[in-house]
PDB file of all heavy atoms in Angstrom:
ATOM      1  N   GLN A 258     132.588 175.573  74.986  1.00  0.00           N
ATOM      2  CA  GLN A 258     133.529 176.602  74.542  1.00  0.00           C
ATOM      3  C   GLN A 258     132.923 177.441  73.415  1.00  0.00           C
ATOM      4  O   GLN A 258     132.514 176.901  72.395  1.00  0.00           O
ATOM      5  CB  GLN A 258     134.812 175.949  74.028  1.00  0.00           C
ATOM      6  CG  GLN A 258     135.517 175.077  75.057  1.00  0.00           C
ATOM      7  CD  GLN A 258     136.660 174.302  74.439  1.00  0.00           C
ATOM      8  OE1 GLN A 258     137.631 174.884  73.973  1.00  0.00           O
ATOM      9  NE2 GLN A 258     136.549 172.979  74.415  1.00  0.00           N
ATOM     10  N   LEU A 259     132.887 178.764  73.609  1.00  0.00           N
ATOM     11  CA  LEU A 259     132.336 179.653  72.590  1.00  0.00           C
ATOM     12  C   LEU A 259     133.447 180.391  71.860  1.00  0.00           C
ATOM     13  O   LEU A 259     134.348 180.959  72.489  1.00  0.00           O
ATOM     14  CB  LEU A 259     131.383 180.668  73.225  1.00  0.00           C
ATOM     15  CG  LEU A 259     130.196 180.105  74.008  1.00  0.00           C
ATOM     16  CD1 LEU A 259     129.214 181.224  74.335  1.00  0.00           C
ATOM     17  CD2 LEU A 259     129.495 178.972  73.267  1.00  0.00           C
ATOM     18  N   PHE A 260     133.362 180.386  70.528  1.00  0.00           N
ATOM     19  CA  PHE A 260     134.355 181.021  69.658  1.00  0.00           C
ATOM     20  C   PHE A 260     133.663 181.994  68.706  1.00  0.00           C
ATOM     21  O   PHE A 260     132.494 181.816  68.360  1.00  0.00           O
ATOM     22  CB  PHE A 260     135.078 179.985  68.787  1.00  0.00           C
ATOM     23  CG  PHE A 260     136.020 179.083  69.517  1.00  0.00           C
ATOM     24  CD1 PHE A 260     135.546 178.014  70.271  1.00  0.00           C
ATOM     25  CD2 PHE A 260     137.395 179.283  69.437  1.00  0.00           C
ATOM     26  CE1 PHE A 260     136.415 177.164  70.926  1.00  0.00           C
ATOM     27  CE2 PHE A 260     138.273 178.441  70.089  1.00  0.00           C
ATOM     28  CZ  PHE A 260     137.793 177.378  70.837  1.00  0.00           C
ATOM     29  N   CYS A 261     134.415 182.984  68.245  1.00  0.00           N
ATOM     30  CA  CYS A 261     133.946 183.824  67.149  1.00  0.00           C
ATOM     31  C   CYS A 261     133.914 182.998  65.867  1.00  0.00           C
ATOM     32  O   CYS A 261     134.828 182.200  65.627  1.00  0.00           O
ATOM     33  CB  CYS A 261     134.885 185.012  66.932  1.00  0.00           C
ATOM     34  SG  CYS A 261     135.001 186.164  68.303  1.00  0.00           S
ATOM     35  N   ASP A 262     132.900 183.203  65.050  1.00  0.00           N
ATOM     36  CA  ASP A 262     132.904 182.583  63.722  1.00  0.00           C
ATOM     37  C   ASP A 262     133.996 183.209  62.865  1.00  0.00           C
ATOM     38  O   ASP A 262     134.604 182.540  62.033  1.00  0.00           O
ATOM     39  CB  ASP A 262     131.555 182.797  63.022  1.00  0.00           C
ATOM     40  CG  ASP A 262     130.471 181.881  63.559  1.00  0.00           C
ATOM     41  OD1 ASP A 262     130.765 181.058  64.447  1.00  0.00           O
ATOM     42  OD2 ASP A 262     129.322 182.001  63.091  1.00  0.00           O
ATOM     43  N   GLY A 263     134.209 184.497  63.086  1.00  0.00           N
ATOM     44  CA  GLY A 263     135.179 185.227  62.275  1.00  0.00           C
ATOM     45  C   GLY A 263     136.543 185.284  62.913  1.00  0.00           C
ATOM     46  O   GLY A 263     137.324 184.333  62.834  1.00  0.00           O
ATOM     47  N   SER A 264     136.846 186.396  63.569  1.00  0.00           N
ATOM     48  CA  SER A 264     138.200 186.633  64.063  1.00  0.00           C
ATOM     49  C   SER A 264     138.199 187.207  65.468  1.00  0.00           C
ATOM     50  O   SER A 264     137.273 187.917  65.875  1.00  0.00           O
ATOM     51  CB  SER A 264     138.916 187.604  63.118  1.00  0.00           C
ATOM     52  OG  SER A 264     140.098 188.103  63.709  1.00  0.00           O
ATOM     53  N   ALA A 265     139.275 186.915  66.206  1.00  0.00           N
ATOM     54  CA  ALA A 265     139.475 187.493  67.533  1.00  0.00           C
ATOM     55  C   ALA A 265     139.554 189.020  67.460  1.00  0.00           C
ATOM     56  O   ALA A 265     139.307 189.705  68.456  1.00  0.00           O
ATOM     57  CB  ALA A 265     140.758 186.931  68.157  1.00  0.00           C
ATOM     58  N   LYS A 266     139.882 189.535  66.280  1.00  0.00           N
ATOM     59  CA  LYS A 266     139.936 190.993  66.108  1.00  0.00           C
ATOM     60  C   LYS A 266     138.588 191.631  66.432  1.00  0.00           C
ATOM     61  O   LYS A 266     138.527 192.798  66.845  1.00  0.00           O
ATOM     62  CB  LYS A 266     140.343 191.336  64.677  1.00  0.00           C
ATOM     63  CG  LYS A 266     141.774 190.948  64.313  1.00  0.00           C
ATOM     64  CD  LYS A 266     142.069 191.275  62.862  1.00  0.00           C
ATOM     65  CE  LYS A 266     143.492 190.865  62.481  1.00  0.00           C
ATOM     66  NZ  LYS A 266     143.777 191.149  61.061  1.00  0.00           N
ATOM     67  N   GLN A 267     137.516 190.867  66.249  1.00  0.00           N
ATOM     68  CA  GLN A 267     136.183 191.397  66.526  1.00  0.00           C
ATOM     69  C   GLN A 267     136.000 191.671  68.020  1.00  0.00           C
ATOM     70  O   GLN A 267     135.341 192.642  68.398  1.00  0.00           O
ATOM     71  CB  GLN A 267     135.111 190.413  66.035  1.00  0.00           C
ATOM     72  CG  GLN A 267     135.087 190.228  64.522  1.00  0.00           C
ATOM     73  CD  GLN A 267     134.143 189.109  64.120  1.00  0.00           C
ATOM     74  OE1 GLN A 267     134.434 187.935  64.299  1.00  0.00           O
ATOM     75  NE2 GLN A 267     132.986 189.483  63.599  1.00  0.00           N
ATOM     76  N   ILE A 268     136.568 190.807  68.855  1.00  0.00           N
ATOM     77  CA  ILE A 268     136.460 191.003  70.306  1.00  0.00           C
ATOM     78  C   ILE A 268     137.275 192.216  70.733  1.00  0.00           C
ATOM     79  O   ILE A 268     136.827 193.032  71.544  1.00  0.00           O
ATOM     80  CB  ILE A 268     136.925 189.745  71.067  1.00  0.00           C
ATOM     81  CG1 ILE A 268     136.041 188.533  70.705  1.00  0.00           C
ATOM     82  CG2 ILE A 268     136.912 189.990  72.569  1.00  0.00           C
ATOM     83  CD1 ILE A 268     134.587 188.676  71.103  1.00  0.00           C
ATOM     84  N   VAL A 269     138.467 192.360  70.167  1.00  0.00           N
ATOM     85  CA  VAL A 269     139.298 193.531  70.489  1.00  0.00           C
ATOM     86  C   VAL A 269     138.602 194.812  70.038  1.00  0.00           C
ATOM     87  O   VAL A 269     138.543 195.799  70.786  1.00  0.00           O
ATOM     88  CB  VAL A 269     140.684 193.412  69.836  1.00  0.00           C
ATOM     89  CG1 VAL A 269     141.483 194.701  70.028  1.00  0.00           C
ATOM     90  CG2 VAL A 269     141.454 192.233  70.430  1.00  0.00           C
ATOM     91  N   ALA A 270     138.044 194.796  68.833  1.00  0.00           N
ATOM     92  CA  ALA A 270     137.342 195.980  68.320  1.00  0.00           C
ATOM     93  C   ALA A 270     136.144 196.320  69.207  1.00  0.00           C
ATOM     94  O   ALA A 270     135.866 197.502  69.474  1.00  0.00           O
ATOM     95  CB  ALA A 270     136.890 195.739  66.880  1.00  0.00           C
ATOM     96  N   MET A 271     135.440 195.303  69.670  1.00  0.00           N
ATOM     97  CA  MET A 271     134.297 195.512  70.562  1.00  0.00           C
ATOM     98  C   MET A 271     134.737 196.170  71.863  1.00  0.00           C
ATOM     99  O   MET A 271     134.111 197.140  72.332  1.00  0.00           O
ATOM    100  CB  MET A 271     133.626 194.170  70.858  1.00  0.00           C
ATOM    101  CG  MET A 271     132.461 194.246  71.833  1.00  0.00           C
ATOM    102  SD  MET A 271     131.913 192.599  72.347  1.00  0.00           S
ATOM    103  CE  MET A 271     133.209 192.197  73.552  1.00  0.00           C
ATOM    104  N   LEU A 272     135.810 195.677  72.462  1.00  0.00           N
ATOM    105  CA  LEU A 272     136.303 196.242  73.712  1.00  0.00           C
ATOM    106  C   LEU A 272     136.773 197.678  73.527  1.00  0.00           C
ATOM    107  O   LEU A 272     136.540 198.536  74.388  1.00  0.00           O
ATOM    108  CB  LEU A 272     137.434 195.374  74.271  1.00  0.00           C
ATOM    109  CG  LEU A 272     137.018 193.978  74.753  1.00  0.00           C
ATOM    110  CD1 LEU A 272     138.249 193.127  75.058  1.00  0.00           C
ATOM    111  CD2 LEU A 272     136.123 194.066  75.986  1.00  0.00           C
ATOM    112  N   LEU A 273     137.415 197.944  72.402  1.00  0.00           N
ATOM    113  CA  LEU A 273     137.852 199.315  72.129  1.00  0.00           C
ATOM    114  C   LEU A 273     136.664 200.248  71.954  1.00  0.00           C
ATOM    115  O   LEU A 273     136.690 201.402  72.417  1.00  0.00           O
ATOM    116  CB  LEU A 273     138.745 199.343  70.879  1.00  0.00           C
ATOM    117  CG  LEU A 273     140.155 198.757  71.055  1.00  0.00           C
ATOM    118  CD1 LEU A 273     140.878 198.726  69.720  1.00  0.00           C
ATOM    119  CD2 LEU A 273     140.954 199.575  72.071  1.00  0.00           C
ATOM    120  N   GLU A 274     135.627 199.784  71.293  1.00  0.00           N
ATOM    121  CA  GLU A 274     134.425 200.608  71.123  1.00  0.00           C
ATOM    122  C   GLU A 274     133.750 200.857  72.474  1.00  0.00           C
ATOM    123  O   GLU A 274     133.272 201.961  72.748  1.00  0.00           O
ATOM    124  CB  GLU A 274     133.453 199.922  70.163  1.00  0.00           C
ATOM    125  CG  GLU A 274     132.161 200.690  69.921  1.00  0.00           C
ATOM    126  CD  GLU A 274     132.374 202.091  69.353  1.00  0.00           C
ATOM    127  OE1 GLU A 274     133.390 202.318  68.667  1.00  0.00           O
ATOM    128  OE2 GLU A 274     131.520 202.966  69.608  1.00  0.00           O
ATOM    129  N   GLU A 275     133.743 199.818  73.323  1.00  0.00           N
ATOM    130  CA  GLU A 275     133.178 199.991  74.662  1.00  0.00           C
ATOM    131  C   GLU A 275     133.988 201.014  75.459  1.00  0.00           C
ATOM    132  O   GLU A 275     133.426 201.817  76.206  1.00  0.00           O
ATOM    133  CB  GLU A 275     133.152 198.642  75.394  1.00  0.00           C
ATOM    134  CG  GLU A 275     132.079 197.691  74.907  1.00  0.00           C
ATOM    135  CD  GLU A 275     130.681 198.181  75.258  1.00  0.00           C
ATOM    136  OE1 GLU A 275     130.337 198.218  76.456  1.00  0.00           O
ATOM    137  OE2 GLU A 275     129.935 198.556  74.320  1.00  0.00           O
ATOM    138  N   CYS A 276     135.298 200.984  75.301  1.00  0.00           N
ATOM    139  CA  CYS A 276     136.148 201.982  75.960  1.00  0.00           C
ATOM    140  C   CYS A 276     135.857 203.379  75.419  1.00  0.00           C
ATOM    141  O   CYS A 276     135.784 204.353  76.174  1.00  0.00           O
ATOM    142  CB  CYS A 276     137.621 201.638  75.767  1.00  0.00           C
ATOM    143  SG  CYS A 276     138.219 200.278  76.811  1.00  0.00           S
ATOM    144  N   ALA A 277     135.689 203.467  74.111  1.00  0.00           N
ATOM    145  CA  ALA A 277     135.400 204.770  73.487  1.00  0.00           C
ATOM    146  C   ALA A 277     134.089 205.344  74.016  1.00  0.00           C
ATOM    147  O   ALA A 277     133.969 206.559  74.255  1.00  0.00           O
ATOM    148  CB  ALA A 277     135.347 204.625  71.971  1.00  0.00           C
ATOM    149  N   LYS A 278     133.103 204.473  74.226  1.00  0.00           N
ATOM    150  CA  LYS A 278     131.812 204.923  74.765  1.00  0.00           C
ATOM    151  C   LYS A 278     131.983 205.520  76.155  1.00  0.00           C
ATOM    152  O   LYS A 278     131.195 206.379  76.566  1.00  0.00           O
ATOM    153  CB  LYS A 278     130.828 203.757  74.821  1.00  0.00           C
ATOM    154  CG  LYS A 278     130.323 203.299  73.465  1.00  0.00           C
ATOM    155  CD  LYS A 278     129.380 202.126  73.627  1.00  0.00           C
ATOM    156  CE  LYS A 278     128.872 201.628  72.269  1.00  0.00           C
ATOM    157  NZ  LYS A 278     127.971 200.455  72.417  1.00  0.00           N
TER     158      LYS A 278
END
Side-chain angles (χ1 to χ4, degrees):
Q258 301 172 64
L259 302 191
F260 289 77
C261 297
D262 283 358
S264 166
K266 293 178 181 179
Q267 295 172 286
I268 299 297
V269 173
M271 177 190 78
L272 292 170
L273 287 175
E274 180 59 28
E275 286 292 293
C276 284
K278 288 179 181 179

